[in-house]
Amino acid sequence: MKTLFFCPMWGMESLSYTEAAKRVKAAGYDGMEIAAGPDKRNEAVQVMHDHGLELILMAFGEGSNFVEHRKKYQDDLLNIASYKPVFINAHTGHDYFTFEQNAELIQIALNVQKQTGVRILHETHRGRFSYSAPAIQYYLLKQPELRLTADYSHWVNVAESYLSDQAENVNRAIAVSDHIHCRVGHPEGPQVNDPRAPEWKDALETHAKWWDAIRARQQRANAATLTITCEFGPAGYLPTLPFTQQPVASQWDINVFMKDYLKKRWQV
């Protein structure tokens, strides 16, 4: 099984796509995951192609009410799919939408996927329909075609625990998780300050075992490719010092570490 590592554009917004692509390529990544607006998508696709990089595009719903949100979400998915990324990573729905509303959005994504042939995965994320391990269970039961981007750091934060008492919930999600965001969360936040620090050894290992399980499941299924985005975020997600707002660690260095850590762990 081929393993592809992606770098997020998030945190490199001061760079052009060309500058970012050069940096990412030199660091040994296979592609980039980008939240590009409609006016930037063609450029993103062209630059990644020119640099021999794969591309994941992200989708978000917006709007002041559900009707507006639904239309924007569908239009965005259709437009993004026209660029034929590796797949679309979608931030779907809201935690305050009803089950029926979120289920309608999931169905829209399935329809777009069938219409365009572009896979759509739904990221497990605070504020979305997938905000916690127990909250997603009914969707998994009622939407058997639902596939996920696994960012379980959010679930750790929401539950204020490493989910040791929710093994069944997590295992059901692992069974349908097709892409990994290798961010490490902790009970008081979605991102540790630096996963290289010894105080986060257990947190890193807990998340890594979940990623191991996703990888093992895909290997058993003879999947051609496993994709991972090293998605530690910039200042804001990354804790900062008071007054100066200087980040306590380098987002770039952490993400490179996560890529190299998993390559070594999996011997790829």
Side-chain angles (χ1 to χ4, degrees):
M1 182 173 66
K2 189 176 182 180
T3 305
L4 300 179
F5 288 88
F6 290 75
C7 182
M9 187 69 189
W10 188 31
M12 293 193 289
E13 289 85 356
S14 63
L15 303 179
S16 68
Y17 287 147
T18 297
E19 292 169 329
K22 288 179 179 178
R23 190 181 191 195
V24 164
K25 185 78 171 181
Y29 289 98
D30 302 291
M32 293 191 70
E33 183 170 333
I34 300 177
D39 59 331
K40 292 288 187 179
R41 288 167 190 160
N42 189 64
E43 180 186 357
V45 170
Q46 188 61 53
V47 169
M48 295 307 116
H49 178 268
D50 290 346
H51 288 82
L53 293 169
E54 302 284 354
L55 177 63
I56 299 166
L57 288 172
M58 301 182 71
F60 303 83
E62 299 175 359
S64 59
N65 56 59
F66 176 72
V67 173
E68 290 180 5
H69 185 105
R70 180 180 59 197
K71 185 179 188 310
K72 174 66 167 62
Y73 184 70
Q74 178 169 287
D75 291 348
D76 212 29
L77 289 177
L78 285 167
N79 181 264
I80 293 171
S82 71
Y83 292 94
K84 301 299 180 183
V86 176
F87 61 85
I88 298 171
N89 181 37
H91 278 226
T92 302
H94 284 298
D95 53 3
Y96 59 83
F97 283 170
T98 66
F99 170 82
E100 290 75 17
Q101 289 172 329
N102 282 322
E104 186 174 348
L105 297 173
I106 294 168
Q107 187 59 52
I108 285 171
L110 287 170
N111 293 343
V112 171
Q113 177 174 283
K114 291 172 182 176
Q115 178 181 336
T116 64
V118 176
R119 284 190 304 151
I120 301 173
L121 309 181
H122 304 270
E123 184 175 342
T124 59
H125 204 289
R126 290 169 302 152
R128 305 300 179 181
F129 83 89
S130 54
Y131 68 92
S132 74
I136 203 172
Q137 298 306 311
Y138 196 54
Y139 294 97
L140 295 176
L141 177 65
K142 293 295 185 180
Q143 301 274 356
E145 295 180 87
L146 179 63
R147 310 301 294 188
L148 303 177
T149 288
D151 192 340
Y152 303 151
S153 65
H154 294 277
W155 290 357
V156 167
N157 184 199
V158 170
E160 294 190 318
S161 78
Y162 289 111
L163 308 174
S164 60
D165 55 349
Q166 294 195 54
E168 289 186 4
N169 285 343
V170 176
N171 286 338
R172 290 189 195 99
I174 285 171
V176 296
S177 292
D178 293 337
H179 178 57
I180 296 169
H181 274 189
C182 59
R183 181 192 289 113
V184 178
H186 62 104
E188 303 306 326
Q191 181 171 296
V192 301
N193 51 26
D194 193 330
R196 299 168 293 187
E199 59 266 33
W200 298 119
K201 179 182 178 181
D202 291 344
L204 175 58
E205 181 63 19
T206 295
H207 285 72
K209 285 180 178 177
W210 291 328
W211 306 331
D212 290 346
I214 293 170
R215 179 173 181 263
R217 191 209 86 229
Q218 294 200 21
Q219 286 179 316
R220 290 193 299 271
N222 294 317
T225 306
L226 171 65
T227 57
I228 304 102
T229 298
C230 304
E231 209 224 11
F232 269 72
Y237 260 74
L238 190 62
T240 58
L241 297 173
F243 303 107
T244 66
Q245 295 298 293
Q246 291 299 305
V248 300
S250 163
Q251 178 204 13
W252 174 263
D253 289 349
I254 288 172
N255 282 330
V256 170
F257 163 77
M258 292 303 302
K259 170 178 64 67
D260 295 341
Y261 167 81
L262 287 177
K263 282 188 172 184
K264 181 179 180 181
R265 184 181 182 95
W266 294 337
Q267 297 183 336
V268 296

